[in-house]
Amino acid sequence: MNTTSEQQKQINIAYIGGGSRGWAWRLMTDLALEKDLSGTVRLYDIDFEAAKTNEVIGNKLSNKPEVVGKWQYVAVKSLDEALYGADFVIISILPGTFEEMYSDVHAPEKYGIYQSVGDTTGPGGLIRGLRTVPMYVEFAEAIKRNCPDAWVINYTNPMAICLKALYEVFPKIKAFGCCHEVFGTQKLLTEVVKEFLGEEREISRREIKVNVLGINHFTWFDKASYKTHDLFPLYKEFVNKYYEEGFEKTKGLWEKDYFASANRVKFDLFKRFGLIAAAGDRHLAEFVPYIYLTDKETVYKWKFNLTPVEWRIKHREELIKLSKEYASDQKEVPLNPSGEEGVMQMKAILGLDTLVTNVNLPNMGQIPNLPIGAIVETNAVFTHDDVRPVYAGKLPSDLASIMIRHISNQELIVKAALEKDLNLAKRAFLNDPAVERLPQSKAEQLFDEMINNTKKYLAYLGL
Amino acid sequence: MNTTSEQQKQINIAYIGGGSRGWAWRLMTDLALEKDLSGTVRLYDIDFEAAKTNEVIGNKLSNKPEVVGKWQYVAVKSLDEALYGADFVIISILPGTFEEMYSDVHAPEKYGIYQSVGDTTGPGGLIRGLRTVPMYVEFAEAIKRNCPDAWVINYTNPMAICLKALYEVFPKIKAFGCCHEVFGTQKLLTEVVKEFLGEEREISRREIKVNVLGINHFTWFDKASYKTHDLFPLYKEFVNKYYEEGFEKTKGLWEKDYFASANRVKFDLFKRFGLIAAAGDRHLAEFVPYIYLTDKETVYKWKFNLTPVEWRIKHREELIKLSKEYASDQKEVPLNPSGEEGVMQMKAILGLDTLVTNVNLPNMGQIPNLPIGAIVETNAVFTHDDVRPVYAGKLPSDLASIMIRHISNQELIVKAALEKDLNLAKRAFLNDPAVERLPQSKAEQLFDEMINNTKKYLAYLGL
Amino acid sequence: MNTTSEQQKQINIAYIGGGSRGWAWRLMTDLALEKDLSGTVRLYDIDFEAAKTNEVIGNKLSNKPEVVGKWQYVAVKSLDEALYGADFVIISILPGTFEEMYSDVHAPEKYGIYQSVGDTTGPGGLIRGLRTVPMYVEFAEAIKRNCPDAWVINYTNPMAICLKALYEVFPKIKAFGCCHEVFGTQKLLTEVVKEFLGEEREISRREIKVNVLGINHFTWFDKASYKTHDLFPLYKEFVNKYYEEGFEKTKGLWEKDYFASANRVKFDLFKRFGLIAAAGDRHLAEFVPYIYLTDKETVYKWKFNLTPVEWRIKHREELIKLSKEYASDQKEVPLNPSGEEGVMQMKAILGLDTLVTNVNLPNMGQIPNLPIGAIVETNAVFTHDDVRPVYAGKLPSDLASIMIRHISNQELIVKAALEKDLNLAKRAFLNDPAVERLPQSKAEQLFDEMINNTKKYLAYLGL
Amino acid sequence: MNTTSEQQKQINIAYIGGGSRGWAWRLMTDLALEKDLSGTVRLYDIDFEAAKTNEVIGNKLSNKPEVVGKWQYVAVKSLDEALYGADFVIISILPGTFEEMYSDVHAPEKYGIYQSVGDTTGPGGLIRGLRTVPMYVEFAEAIKRNCPDAWVINYTNPMAICLKALYEVFPKIKAFGCCHEVFGTQKLLTEVVKEFLGEEREISRREIKVNVLGINHFTWFDKASYKTHDLFPLYKEFVNKYYEEGFEKTKGLWEKDYFASANRVKFDLFKRFGLIAAAGDRHLAEFVPYIYLTDKETVYKWKFNLTPVEWRIKHREELIKLSKEYASDQKEVPLNPSGEEGVMQMKAILGLDTLVTNVNLPNMGQIPNLPIGAIVETNAVFTHDDVRPVYAGKLPSDLASIMIRHISNQELIVKAALEKDLNLAKRAFLNDPAVERLPQSKAEQLFDEMINNTKKYLAYLGL
Ligand SMILES: [Mg+2]
Ligand SMILES: [Mg+2]
Ligand SMILES: [Mg+2]
Ligand SMILES: [Mg+2]
């Protein structure tokens, strides 16, 4: 990646899932706000019309005089067209439809298994993974064929399974995964700073320096600071103060918004393990379901939510409507920074900056007590054509043991998919801590049911 | 350890727990049957009278004309006396009394937690461990002081916790741990040989060659052979044939003998993981309590037993009576080989033989996907002054993840004891898969109760 | 490998290099002396006539009444014919001819570089390796195709390069490498036993128990014992006594026999590193040429020999003559055990025995401070269908650093050959400790010359 | 390290070697130029007068109105006084006097061994190390006692030996080592940028982004970029252009200045290994003495210098004179940034910045093919109370093998000193690549001579 000033004008971004009605708009606005970059974004989506609509929206944005980052958006009909010669590849897809996701999340409820998200681990995440791997096999092969030197940014869940599949198929791929859950915890820490250090100005979450370690959605800080201040003693006070009631910036929001929580899971995990859990409570809970997800009352007590897929379906309708309004001049795409880091990361990779931030990468030793090759989340340094993990150190052994179980299950899913061995997938499923409570026969029945519900995507397994 | 023929006559064995009324007699008979060794056995026990009785029993045995291995038995009153100048140290103790063990095993039952043995892992094994570590700290220090080059053979449970404590305190200690659970599974395989290969003569379990890997009481074979025959396909047939009904040499024994089982857990684990589980069902079940130990009906269904401590208490009475009879000429100690390997191991370590057998040792890489330093069970080669693990290979990742959780908990107990930090012990306790099902408040209540029941032995924690 | 008694009668051995006039006869006599095995040996050689002659010799042997191991020998014309359905594959070839070997050994002499053997490391060993790898690539592919479950025993040098090539091409291959250098040092230790322990009976070298660690031909013992005796203090005395003069069973032999030495290099290495060097002095010296191979006087002073290739050429003539005599009834193949272990190893792998002995295998951690994957020599346990390394432990760091350099060079040669990159081969050559003393231009000149001398075998590099 | 704004005014720096007449002034000027920090610098030196003079110089500087960083300098008479309560400890000493250094560098010349610096590895560096370790043992113990949470910055050579000693004695020490050799190579790359990219403005060496990997003074880049430009293809052109003649900013300087070179060694190493060697040629050459240091003519041919200790002695006189002038108002300390990074690093560690730069740290896996625990040089991220290595990746195996030898020797020196075992030191000495060319007796004679020359500092070895 040896770009001259001229080439810089011609950056090629391939967007897989380019019809997306949320992530795509976030990228568009961030690109629009960045004066140092420009080029082409090729939008690929199995829903070509959605990509086409985003093409219109993106180009309209570029034409606005106040927009400093000028990009050309083009919807394309094939992966190869999108990827050929790409400098960056962004992958943000929904693996399957909400129909399959409905099964992932809600089928286990009949068996007394509740999931707050259902896209990462647990029965939902694992089955979703089994559906996702063949798609990522296709992506990896197409990337190898079309743009082997491109940097690949994944936003899709299950994060670890997606990235693992990419690296298994094309080991030299330059891929990493991004997730904003850590950012949310940094924001929570800005509240701690305000409350205990009396800081009055608005603090950016990027001013909270953290050492990140763990796996996606079960990520932790073992160091956190603000300027010259160690935040651990302050967070301890904060947790003690708000442990029972929880803490929310907008009080009571968790009862109205399926994505909100009162951070009680986070506080309880701090008491248990001494580290700051750095993801939303809905995600964290799924890694220790026997603590926070045993039944609906327990979920309510801990003040977080089981996000129903119906809500996602309804919300999609609104987004479709919105996309039409954006495309047809009825509404303007608001020009606010998304809070995501993709564009900053691209700048650094192009050589225009040095950036230290958290990402998901194969473990090369950055967390010495997790398995080598497992997809882990730590800080990394981004510079010209380079993303290198920072040594994050060891996890407390009990936390590590909890993660290793999920890592093992996620990796078994990838193996099951690559070797087309449904039995391996069942082994992962049975080893899941939410499933383990079911009698064997029930667990197998649930597995069969969930597999059946998603079989449209499992033809590769001979189903 | 450079023994001349003369010195060989003077082998010194220190027996910690030398008042034991089962293990000690086993050693005595094995020594009596071995013509190539002789020397002194110093018996140390906190119950000096028991040691004294064993001194009498041992010396009577040595005086029998038919006995070829002549040893002098001496009961001693201090650890230092027992250990000074020892060539071998045998440790076989009951950490605490049956009163504490009663709590370990049965206190959790009120909370719906059932344990089949309660001495290895789970709430019982962990609390027992917390009581045991300070004793082993004392042993390690005394060994370092009195006989740093001695070989130390541990028979006490919790095996991993005992050995870890020895190595933490005295890293250069030459200690390993022995357990006969693997032998039992080899014996089961001799039944497979008889049934499927039509072998009619009695087969020794030592003719069944196995690759052993795992942790004590959750040990596995990924290879097993008899002469030129791979036993895996045969065992698969065997499991399929007996899966529902179970297999016992003496049919129905499991309903009469608290230590017996119909091997159904073993067969089910084979179906799940594809490897041969190589310990008694009672032990195996405790590592995956959510499968086999959820309630008494489940235990019954799987045809194994929860061994009540009352039985042990009653049985002790019988043994005390027996010891008096042995000591007073009313009864003869029967001269049968015990089936244990301690004496064979000593012979090999003295240089008189080469032996390949399974033992517990710190992981130096013999199981690459378990943590380095964890106490693991694999084959080892015994030669002159040397016990070296054989490379056992990787475990399937789901099995490894299950073990890593128990390893983490066991190591946290050792750390809790060495750092005198009760909170670490609670972390281990809460991370146990049997405990995880309890609501936090119940789990903590149980922990407090169990700690209180054993507090006589926890003064070192400031309790 | 699940052999029934019937199949056992039909063991298939493929012998690559089956026209060999030394190694092949050794195998034949060992097979003839082993009553428990029988079957077919297929002899493959690029010199078909030589294989054919060995077929005759072998079958004559089998027909002798006093021979208990009955085998059928068949010379075949292709690798595939030899390998199809083989249970064991033996590889013992001369890579190239003595003409190329002449260059390997003697071309560097003009530059002041002396080699005592020239087949393992140093300029000769590396260039020989470059010629050998493509042959082993062919073998590995043919084994994968014809008999993927066969056990492969390599006797060819350069041992590490041959085995590395096999494992690179076919990672699941069951291959190990055998060399008798260690045996020679065990024999030397029997002399120590005789001299210092007054043992009068003949002692077998197998009674000397050793922990083996290192790389082929630069192998070491850090433990050695005879019965109950630690041999290290005795060897120290022995070295002190014979350091200046050297020790030979047949005094003065080293001045008459190119393969003999007075063990002075071995004694000096003991003084330097505190471990027992366990290979012939000629081999050992080549790993630290700056000590023992700086010039001919130094070699003479240390009382070992530079074996001239002329001798090998002459000796071959004698062997050809001998082979004719054997084949034509003029002479009988003497029925003495060869001292090699191949047949014992096969018996153990078939499940008829358990054997602990030294072999060359990829490092899976048996020597923790050598690189994982490097071909190392340690003890291993042989049982049914299984060869597992024994944990050998760490090498002293200076010894390890010397080995790592040779390992790196040998692995670079394999990589150079597999990637067809002559420049990598030159890097290995320049990094060799014998070559390093040359000015760059001289070193490159020598490289070019040696490459040119062997270019008949380097067509695959585009030469 | 939880500093409030108030505390920030009171940063305590302990300077061991505070009488230094170069490094101390560099720190003083850098502190004077940094407006965000202030506090006290306690100067400790075995030459108290020198420290006292620096106290005067430092305080004078602080009193200048144009100086924005106000510090109080205090010369103290004991280590404990200097260290008690320190936030940072700087160590920059001369271990021994120039008399001993004279022997280190020049004693080997009689034996045909030439050293360009003699302070890092080779006979000089190793003997210097043996003298240095006991000093660092004392420092480590005093730091543990007085300021266990302080950050320790080492500038003394031999870098790896100094840091290893600190970590061996006090494993939880927060120590790292700094060296400007990498900066010099970054500066050289700015010349490449100017020449091939036509950049006309002055480029800061910090704009050259590099991935650093290796060991101190034998450090390498495997990535280098300037803005969007990969510098590897440009450097290749540069090397080809200047290979024969060399490259200097000031042409011919290498013949006048003992510290200058024409970068020919660097260029040649690039041709050999394909990576950019990132230290001065004088240092680099000492790691492969058989290439560049075989005799004086070779050194001259490669256009670098053997720095004579006489020069250092003479230069010291000038510095003493200068120190008197600075202290007595005859001369002003010039207020130019030193180019060192110590003050930037302190700022980042205090939480005022995030910094990515190269430092020496124990290997925690940042270079996977060097031994864990070895002192290696890579990039690290500096944030609040935190210095974490960045994953640097594997070295080419031949380079790694060269480094491992030096690492082994340096670690043996530390072990020799800690275990007070002169024989281990001799092993390291004999394993050095410059010494290896000597016949054993000569090598031992040189060792004895050099040991004798420095015996004033080796009383701890019982000499
Ligand atoms: Mg996410
Ligand atoms: Mg047991
Ligand atoms: Mg050999
Ligand atoms: Mg330096």
Side-chain angles (χ1 to χ4, degrees), chain B residues 3-23:
Chain B
T3 45
T4 68
S5 311
E6 278 323 291
Q7 286 168 329
Q8 191 180 328
K9 299 284 179 226
Q10 302 299 334
I11 294 164
N12 286 314
I13 299 176
Y15 194 125
I16 302 178
S20 135
R21 286 169 206 102
W23 285 101

Side-chain angles (χ1 to χ4, degrees), chain B residues 23 119-120 155-157 159 178-181 216-217 283 360 377:
Chain B
W23 285 101
D119 70 347
T120 307
Y155 289 100
T156 309
N157 287 328
M159 176 61 78
C178 295
C179 165
H180 49 212
E181 295 293 319
N216 185 240
H217 294 165
H283 282 305
N360 291 276
E377 189 161 340

Side-chain angles (χ1 to χ4, degrees), chain C residues 268 272-274 290 396-398 401-402 404-405 408 412 427 430-431 433 436 440, chain D residues 268 272-274 290 396-398 401-402 404-405 408 412 427 430-431 433 436 440:
Chain C
D268 191 53
R272 285 170 177 264
F273 297 106
Y290 39 83
S397 68
D398 43 6
S401 80
I402 293 170
I404 287 169
R405 184 175 187 176
S408 162
L412 266 179
R427 272 175 77 156
L430 294 179
N431 193 39
E436 75 176 28
Q440 169 89 349
Chain D
D268 190 53
R272 285 172 177 265
F273 297 106
Y290 41 81
S397 67
D398 44 5
S401 79
I402 294 170
I404 286 169
R405 183 174 187 178
S408 163
L412 266 179
R427 273 175 77 155
L430 294 178
N431 194 38
E436 75 175 28
Q440 170 88 348

